Amino acid sequence: MSSCVKPLVQSEQSPLVLLHGFDSSCLEWRYTYPLLEEAGLETWAVDILGWGFSNLERLGSCDVQSKREHFYQLWKSYIKRPMTFVGPSLGAAVAVDFAVNHPEAVENLVLIDASVYAEGTGNLATLPRAAAYAGASLLKSFPLRLYTIFLAFKGTSFSTSLDWTNIGRLHCLYPWWEDATVNFMISGGYNVSRQIDQVKQKTLIIWGEDDQIISNKLGVRLHCELPNAIIRQIPDCGHLPHVEKPDSVARLILEFVQDYCQKEAQFVPM
């Protein structure tokens, strides 16, 4: 059922695995992915179960546990090595949940404008099914998606916003998208705030200084609560730095991975 962008070559370093945000797809990484691969990193971009372009003709559950188990099976079958796991926005909650439950699979974390303090889907979990489907229909509407783009990015042109809106809602055209969205909505969603102090992996936090969706003050809070983290902020940037500032994000990830590899090499017994 999985859809992903697979690396062209394998590297000796840990693979880099990229998630996406809420109700999005691996196409979020269309600008940054080539830069990471050109830098020599073995890079995967994976669609989270229920979103993106996964084949869900036989739709099962799309709750948190199902998303975690689905990705674990993909990792176990194809990636097979401890990875640097990258999660933007709600993808950060997916990454934290996975790292705590499967620490053997995650070597490092990169969290980008992380949505890790939301209490799941909140009151949406109690909606009657008919109201939940109406909400899902609104969620994929072009005007709402365009408005979200204006909130998410700093100073983008109208033509660019139209382009990003069209790409961002492509996966919503699948016939099973509404069922998967409603299933996740009524399941309660991600609530990982109590798991943060259980994260043992070294973590890079990246934050757009002008994020109007999640305040960078929460980035500072996350930095304080994670046991082993560094934080880097990107000026003149909104909620999705990997779309808006791909060169900056690729550089920060590459420096983080290289620094970790150098420190690991210092401890290799001779």
Side-chain angles (χ1 to χ4, degrees):
M1 295 190 294
S2 300
S3 62
C4 66
V5 180
K6 296 172 63 176
L8 294 175
V9 293
Q10 280 198 335
S11 150
E12 293 183 359
Q13 297 176 340
S14 299
L16 187 69
V17 180
L18 313 172
L19 296 178
H20 54 77
F22 171 71
D23 189 31
S24 185
S25 76
C26 59
L27 294 181
E28 273 188 21
W29 292 96
R30 60 194 177 277
Y31 301 130
T32 308
Y33 185 100
L35 302 176
L36 296 169
E37 198 161 59
E38 286 169 10
L41 299 178
E42 178 185 334
T43 309
W44 299 69
V46 179
D47 282 335
I48 300 166
L49 178 70
W51 298 318
F53 302 98
S54 297
N55 185 342
L56 298 178
E57 287 187 77
R58 294 180 296 163
L59 180 67
S61 176
C62 290
D63 61 11
V64 169
Q65 183 177 350
S66 299
K67 291 179 189 292
R68 183 196 312 132
E69 178 61 20
H70 175 263
F71 183 78
Y72 177 72
Q73 293 302 328
L74 185 145
W75 173 82
K76 185 178 178 182
S77 300
Y78 297 99
I79 301 171
K80 301 179 181 178
R81 291 176 290 152
M83 60 190 169
T84 297
F85 207 19
V86 184
S89 194
L90 189 68
V94 180
V96 166
D97 173 79
F98 189 85
V100 169
N101 284 278
H102 295 288
E104 75 283 1
V106 182
E107 193 164 68
N108 300 302
L109 284 172
V110 179
L111 307 179
I112 303 175
D113 290 70
S115 177
V116 291
Y117 293 109
E119 296 182 357
T121 55
N123 292 331
L124 297 177
T126 62
L127 285 176
R129 187 166 287 270
Y133 273 95
S137 181
L138 176 64
L139 182 61
K140 75 174 179 180
S141 67
F142 191 90
L144 182 61
R145 294 268 171 170
L146 181 60
Y147 174 68
T148 303
I149 290 295
F150 280 120
L151 283 181
F153 299 103
K154 179 178 169 61
T156 57
S157 67
F158 184 70
S159 60
T160 300
S161 297
L162 286 177
D163 175 53
W164 287 348
T165 301
N166 284 320
I167 292 173
R169 66 189 294 269
L170 275 176
H171 65 285
C172 301
L173 304 180
Y174 273 122
W176 49 78
W177 174 83
E178 286 189 354
D179 291 333
T181 298
V182 168
N183 187 285
F184 175 75
M185 189 186 304
I186 64 178
S187 75
Y190 283 90
N191 189 347
V192 301
S193 58
R194 294 181 181 178
Q195 294 178 295
I196 291 171
D197 62 0
Q198 300 174 44
V199 173
K200 305 305 180 188
Q201 295 86 350
K202 185 173 181 180
T203 304
L204 167 65
I205 302 167
I206 299 174
W207 218 279
E209 284 187 355
D210 298 297
D211 189 340
Q212 304 209 27
I213 294 179
I214 304 176
S215 169
N216 60 4
K217 292 180 181 178
L218 289 180
V220 176
R221 174 183 169 184
L222 180 62
H223 180 226
C224 293
E225 293 182 1
L226 281 168
N228 185 13
I230 58 174
I231 185 169
R232 299 290 182 265
Q233 298 199 52
I234 299 178
D236 297 315
C237 183
H239 182 61
L240 299 175
H242 55 299
V243 181
E244 194 171 0
K245 302 280 188 178
D247 292 308
S248 297
V249 171
R251 176 179 54 80
L252 288 172
I253 292 175
L254 182 61
E255 289 174 356
F256 176 68
V257 170
Q258 289 177 337
D259 181 62
Y260 177 82
C261 289
Q262 288 173 0
K263 288 181 179 177
E264 284 292 292
Q266 292 174 6
F267 290 98
V268 173
M270 302 300 290

